[in-house]
Amino acid sequence: MAKGLTTSTAPKPKLGQHFLASQPAGQRIVEALGDLSAATVLEIGPGRGALTTLLAARARRVIAVELDRVLAAQLRMKFAIYPNVEIIEGDILKIELNTVFGPKPGMTRPGLNFTPEPAHVIGNLPYYITSDILLRLLEYHRYFSTVVIMVQKEVADRVAASPGTRDYGLLSATAQLYARVEKLFTLPPGAFAPPPKVHSSVVRLTIEPRIEALQVPEAGFISFLKLSFGQKRKTLWNNLKTQYPQKILKEALAQSGVKPTVRAEALPLAKSAALYRALHDGKLV
Ligand code: SAM
């Protein structure tokens, strides 16, 4: 084989390229999205197409975003015969998600209104940017209904963690603010080629935002959570006092029944929201 060709198709560790080598695992991941016959699926990092192949046969429409130019070109050739599959060469962290779900070029008809249903998302994620991808998906949650992603096991534990446990943090709180989280199953390194150093878990997020139920404004509450979890070792009091006057903070903590000595990871979202409302709704701040 020509040297150039070998190099261009060899897995690139910097892009997190650990390709799924287990067909049954691929099947389980795709099945976790449920019935796809009427669905649009956004695939993140299709790689060599292990999941894309399964999706092409099941979904009404597949939009796959791959950063690696060579892989994207190969995928385009491989799926050229599938009218329901689009390969986009791009960075999932930068791509304009609101333009991705427009009508496929050549499929527009005058007078045809395009109102997309929320899409499903799937991906065996590149681990070097897992949290960034997850936070971006949550930020754009209005576009999505179900998200099934393979992530490093430790990240899955954090996303699904309950308040008061060691793993609960800003990522858990943010994910659980927007979605119902289920940890589905774990795969050993040998399920991938080349094998990563870590185990991987599949997580399903069913988008069910709790913002309205918690009666908080979205942007303000997200900033509040970031501040609450600001310094992991610090108490809630110490993190919040950097932004709120101490007298007001004391009153709001008492009003919402939160002890100043707790850390943010001990608070369920409902308690954080009660504290936020006590600080803001009562016009204390
Ligand atoms: N889905 C394939 C599979 O299961 O075999 C490949 C998974 S591999 C863990 C991650 C894939 O994401 C790679 O193909 C990599 O090139 C791609 N990737 C890395 N960074 C990306 C980014 N910022 N945007 C889109 N794709 C990216």
Side-chain angles (χ1 to χ4, degrees), residues 23 38 40 43 59 79 117 128 137 155 189 227 233-234 241 264 278 280:
Q23 162 94 9
T40 294
E43 187 187 358
F79 291 99
E117 290 286 308
Y128 72 110
L137 292 174
V155 176
L227 181 67
R233 284 167 196 278
K234 284 193 177 174
K241 77 171 187 197
H280 295 262

PDB file of all heavy atoms in Angstrom, residues 23 38 40 43 59 79 117 128 137 155 189 227 233-234 241 264 278 280:
ATOM      1  N   GLN A  23     -19.932  -5.323  16.416  1.00  0.00           N
ATOM      2  CA  GLN A  23     -21.215  -5.116  15.720  1.00  0.00           C
ATOM      3  C   GLN A  23     -22.406  -5.193  16.676  1.00  0.00           C
ATOM      4  O   GLN A  23     -23.294  -4.335  16.641  1.00  0.00           O
ATOM      5  CB  GLN A  23     -21.310  -6.157  14.583  1.00  0.00           C
ATOM      6  CG  GLN A  23     -22.687  -6.415  14.023  1.00  0.00           C
ATOM      7  CD  GLN A  23     -22.957  -5.548  12.800  1.00  0.00           C
ATOM      8  OE1 GLN A  23     -22.050  -4.893  12.293  1.00  0.00           O
ATOM      9  NE2 GLN A  23     -24.199  -5.543  12.330  1.00  0.00           N
ATOM     10  N   ALA A  38     -39.343   7.462  11.399  1.00  0.00           N
ATOM     11  CA  ALA A  38     -39.782   8.810  11.010  1.00  0.00           C
ATOM     12  C   ALA A  38     -38.803   9.868  11.520  1.00  0.00           C
ATOM     13  O   ALA A  38     -39.101  11.056  11.490  1.00  0.00           O
ATOM     14  CB  ALA A  38     -41.171   9.072  11.591  1.00  0.00           C
ATOM     15  N   THR A  40     -35.165  12.110  12.244  1.00  0.00           N
ATOM     16  CA  THR A  40     -33.900  12.655  11.765  1.00  0.00           C
ATOM     17  C   THR A  40     -32.878  12.393  12.860  1.00  0.00           C
ATOM     18  O   THR A  40     -33.139  12.673  14.030  1.00  0.00           O
ATOM     19  CB  THR A  40     -34.019  14.179  11.538  1.00  0.00           C
ATOM     20  OG1 THR A  40     -34.939  14.398  10.474  1.00  0.00           O
ATOM     21  CG2 THR A  40     -32.677  14.795  11.181  1.00  0.00           C
ATOM     22  N   GLU A  43     -25.616  12.363  13.745  1.00  0.00           N
ATOM     23  CA  GLU A  43     -24.531  11.533  14.274  1.00  0.00           C
ATOM     24  C   GLU A  43     -23.267  12.374  14.438  1.00  0.00           C
ATOM     25  O   GLU A  43     -22.841  13.054  13.501  1.00  0.00           O
ATOM     26  CB  GLU A  43     -24.230  10.317  13.391  1.00  0.00           C
ATOM     27  CG  GLU A  43     -23.215   9.420  14.104  1.00  0.00           C
ATOM     28  CD  GLU A  43     -22.668   8.246  13.300  1.00  0.00           C
ATOM     29  OE1 GLU A  43     -23.080   8.040  12.150  1.00  0.00           O
ATOM     30  OE2 GLU A  43     -21.793   7.557  13.847  1.00  0.00           O
ATOM     31  N   ALA A  59     -33.191   4.931   9.760  1.00  0.00           N
ATOM     32  CA  ALA A  59     -33.714   6.285  10.003  1.00  0.00           C
ATOM     33  C   ALA A  59     -34.225   6.930   8.718  1.00  0.00           C
ATOM     34  O   ALA A  59     -33.729   6.658   7.629  1.00  0.00           O
ATOM     35  CB  ALA A  59     -32.621   7.159  10.612  1.00  0.00           C
ATOM     36  N   PHE A  79     -21.574   6.302   1.387  1.00  0.00           N
ATOM     37  CA  PHE A  79     -23.024   6.468   1.555  1.00  0.00           C
ATOM     38  C   PHE A  79     -23.691   7.219   0.401  1.00  0.00           C
ATOM     39  O   PHE A  79     -24.839   7.637   0.532  1.00  0.00           O
ATOM     40  CB  PHE A  79     -23.318   7.145   2.901  1.00  0.00           C
ATOM     41  CG  PHE A  79     -23.011   6.249   4.063  1.00  0.00           C
ATOM     42  CD1 PHE A  79     -21.816   6.380   4.763  1.00  0.00           C
ATOM     43  CD2 PHE A  79     -23.882   5.227   4.423  1.00  0.00           C
ATOM     44  CE1 PHE A  79     -21.509   5.529   5.815  1.00  0.00           C
ATOM     45  CE2 PHE A  79     -23.585   4.367   5.476  1.00  0.00           C
ATOM     46  CZ  PHE A  79     -22.395   4.523   6.168  1.00  0.00           C
ATOM     47  N   GLU A 117     -38.900  18.369  13.044  1.00  0.00           N
ATOM     48  CA  GLU A 117     -39.184  17.782  14.353  1.00  0.00           C
ATOM     49  C   GLU A 117     -37.867  17.765  15.122  1.00  0.00           C
ATOM     50  O   GLU A 117     -36.802  17.726  14.500  1.00  0.00           O
ATOM     51  CB  GLU A 117     -39.615  16.320  14.161  1.00  0.00           C
ATOM     52  CG  GLU A 117     -40.958  16.135  13.513  1.00  0.00           C
ATOM     53  CD  GLU A 117     -42.075  16.478  14.477  1.00  0.00           C
ATOM     54  OE1 GLU A 117     -42.065  15.948  15.593  1.00  0.00           O
ATOM     55  OE2 GLU A 117     -42.929  17.299  14.104  1.00  0.00           O
ATOM     56  N   TYR A 128     -11.730  13.564  24.012  1.00  0.00           N
ATOM     57  CA  TYR A 128     -11.003  14.781  24.400  1.00  0.00           C
ATOM     58  C   TYR A 128     -11.926  16.005  24.494  1.00  0.00           C
ATOM     59  O   TYR A 128     -11.531  17.030  25.051  1.00  0.00           O
ATOM     60  CB  TYR A 128      -9.828  15.038  23.437  1.00  0.00           C
ATOM     61  CG  TYR A 128     -10.211  15.516  22.045  1.00  0.00           C
ATOM     62  CD1 TYR A 128      -9.956  16.817  21.632  1.00  0.00           C
ATOM     63  CD2 TYR A 128     -10.835  14.658  21.140  1.00  0.00           C
ATOM     64  CE1 TYR A 128     -10.310  17.268  20.365  1.00  0.00           C
ATOM     65  CE2 TYR A 128     -11.186  15.089  19.880  1.00  0.00           C
ATOM     66  CZ  TYR A 128     -10.926  16.396  19.499  1.00  0.00           C
ATOM     67  OH  TYR A 128     -11.289  16.829  18.241  1.00  0.00           O
ATOM     68  N   LEU A 137     -24.811  20.377  23.258  1.00  0.00           N
ATOM     69  CA  LEU A 137     -26.097  19.727  22.948  1.00  0.00           C
ATOM     70  C   LEU A 137     -27.173  20.215  23.918  1.00  0.00           C
ATOM     71  O   LEU A 137     -28.314  20.466  23.528  1.00  0.00           O
ATOM     72  CB  LEU A 137     -25.965  18.202  23.040  1.00  0.00           C
ATOM     73  CG  LEU A 137     -25.087  17.526  21.987  1.00  0.00           C
ATOM     74  CD1 LEU A 137     -24.940  16.034  22.294  1.00  0.00           C
ATOM     75  CD2 LEU A 137     -25.672  17.715  20.589  1.00  0.00           C
ATOM     76  N   VAL A 155     -17.102   9.689  32.991  1.00  0.00           N
ATOM     77  CA  VAL A 155     -17.949  10.832  32.608  1.00  0.00           C
ATOM     78  C   VAL A 155     -19.416  10.430  32.715  1.00  0.00           C
ATOM     79  O   VAL A 155     -20.254  11.186  33.215  1.00  0.00           O
ATOM     80  CB  VAL A 155     -17.605  11.329  31.183  1.00  0.00           C
ATOM     81  CG1 VAL A 155     -18.545  12.448  30.756  1.00  0.00           C
ATOM     82  CG2 VAL A 155     -16.159  11.797  31.117  1.00  0.00           C
ATOM     83  N   PRO A 189     -12.360  -1.839  26.818  1.00  0.00           N
ATOM     84  CA  PRO A 189     -11.517  -1.251  25.769  1.00  0.00           C
ATOM     85  C   PRO A 189     -11.468  -2.112  24.494  1.00  0.00           C
ATOM     86  O   PRO A 189     -11.391  -1.584  23.388  1.00  0.00           O
ATOM     87  CB  PRO A 189     -10.136  -1.159  26.428  1.00  0.00           C
ATOM     88  CG  PRO A 189     -10.431  -1.056  27.891  1.00  0.00           C
ATOM     89  CD  PRO A 189     -11.671  -1.865  28.121  1.00  0.00           C
ATOM     90  N   LEU A 227     -21.556  29.392  39.420  1.00  0.00           N
ATOM     91  CA  LEU A 227     -20.982  30.074  40.586  1.00  0.00           C
ATOM     92  C   LEU A 227     -21.004  29.137  41.805  1.00  0.00           C
ATOM     93  O   LEU A 227     -20.024  29.028  42.542  1.00  0.00           O
ATOM     94  CB  LEU A 227     -21.789  31.349  40.874  1.00  0.00           C
ATOM     95  CG  LEU A 227     -21.320  32.201  42.048  1.00  0.00           C
ATOM     96  CD1 LEU A 227     -19.957  32.821  41.748  1.00  0.00           C
ATOM     97  CD2 LEU A 227     -22.343  33.304  42.339  1.00  0.00           C
ATOM     98  N   ARG A 233     -13.937  22.536  46.245  1.00  0.00           N
ATOM     99  CA  ARG A 233     -13.705  22.264  47.668  1.00  0.00           C
ATOM    100  C   ARG A 233     -14.390  23.270  48.584  1.00  0.00           C
ATOM    101  O   ARG A 233     -14.484  23.058  49.781  1.00  0.00           O
ATOM    102  CB  ARG A 233     -12.213  22.276  47.959  1.00  0.00           C
ATOM    103  CG  ARG A 233     -11.535  21.037  47.483  1.00  0.00           C
ATOM    104  CD  ARG A 233     -10.030  21.205  47.483  1.00  0.00           C
ATOM    105  NE  ARG A 233      -9.423  20.163  46.689  1.00  0.00           N
ATOM    106  CZ  ARG A 233      -9.170  18.941  47.126  1.00  0.00           C
ATOM    107  NH1 ARG A 233      -9.456  18.631  48.359  1.00  0.00           N
ATOM    108  NH2 ARG A 233      -8.644  18.028  46.340  1.00  0.00           N
ATOM    109  N   LYS A 234     -14.829  24.378  48.008  1.00  0.00           N
ATOM    110  CA  LYS A 234     -15.412  25.424  48.854  1.00  0.00           C
ATOM    111  C   LYS A 234     -16.878  25.141  49.181  1.00  0.00           C
ATOM    112  O   LYS A 234     -17.582  24.497  48.406  1.00  0.00           O
ATOM    113  CB  LYS A 234     -15.328  26.772  48.136  1.00  0.00           C
ATOM    114  CG  LYS A 234     -13.933  27.374  48.140  1.00  0.00           C
ATOM    115  CD  LYS A 234     -14.015  28.825  47.704  1.00  0.00           C
ATOM    116  CE  LYS A 234     -12.664  29.491  47.762  1.00  0.00           C
ATOM    117  NZ  LYS A 234     -12.730  30.852  47.203  1.00  0.00           N
ATOM    118  N   LYS A 241     -20.586  33.975  48.144  1.00  0.00           N
ATOM    119  CA  LYS A 241     -20.321  35.293  48.749  1.00  0.00           C
ATOM    120  C   LYS A 241     -19.433  36.172  47.848  1.00  0.00           C
ATOM    121  O   LYS A 241     -19.312  37.370  48.072  1.00  0.00           O
ATOM    122  CB  LYS A 241     -19.717  35.147  50.150  1.00  0.00           C
ATOM    123  CG  LYS A 241     -18.263  34.789  50.176  1.00  0.00           C
ATOM    124  CD  LYS A 241     -17.708  34.877  51.585  1.00  0.00           C
ATOM    125  CE  LYS A 241     -16.202  34.675  51.496  1.00  0.00           C
ATOM    126  NZ  LYS A 241     -15.546  34.358  52.709  1.00  0.00           N
ATOM    127  N   ALA A 264     -22.116  22.698  47.075  1.00  0.00           N
ATOM    128  CA  ALA A 264     -23.142  22.699  46.018  1.00  0.00           C
ATOM    129  C   ALA A 264     -23.541  21.280  45.615  1.00  0.00           C
ATOM    130  O   ALA A 264     -24.703  21.021  45.289  1.00  0.00           O
ATOM    131  CB  ALA A 264     -22.633  23.465  44.804  1.00  0.00           C
ATOM    132  N   ALA A 278     -35.080  32.717  46.173  1.00  0.00           N
ATOM    133  CA  ALA A 278     -35.028  33.518  47.405  1.00  0.00           C
ATOM    134  C   ALA A 278     -34.077  34.708  47.209  1.00  0.00           C
ATOM    135  O   ALA A 278     -34.335  35.796  47.717  1.00  0.00           O
ATOM    136  CB  ALA A 278     -34.559  32.657  48.573  1.00  0.00           C
ATOM    137  N   HIS A 280     -33.382  36.173  44.290  1.00  0.00           N
ATOM    138  CA  HIS A 280     -33.757  37.081  43.216  1.00  0.00           C
ATOM    139  C   HIS A 280     -35.214  37.531  43.244  1.00  0.00           C
ATOM    140  O   HIS A 280     -35.494  38.699  43.105  1.00  0.00           O
ATOM    141  CB  HIS A 280     -33.430  36.446  41.851  1.00  0.00           C
ATOM    142  CG  HIS A 280     -31.961  36.255  41.660  1.00  0.00           C
ATOM    143  ND1 HIS A 280     -31.180  37.132  40.947  1.00  0.00           N
ATOM    144  CD2 HIS A 280     -31.110  35.331  42.138  1.00  0.00           C
ATOM    145  CE1 HIS A 280     -29.926  36.738  40.985  1.00  0.00           C
ATOM    146  NE2 HIS A 280     -29.849  35.635  41.688  1.00  0.00           N
TER     147      HIS A 280
END
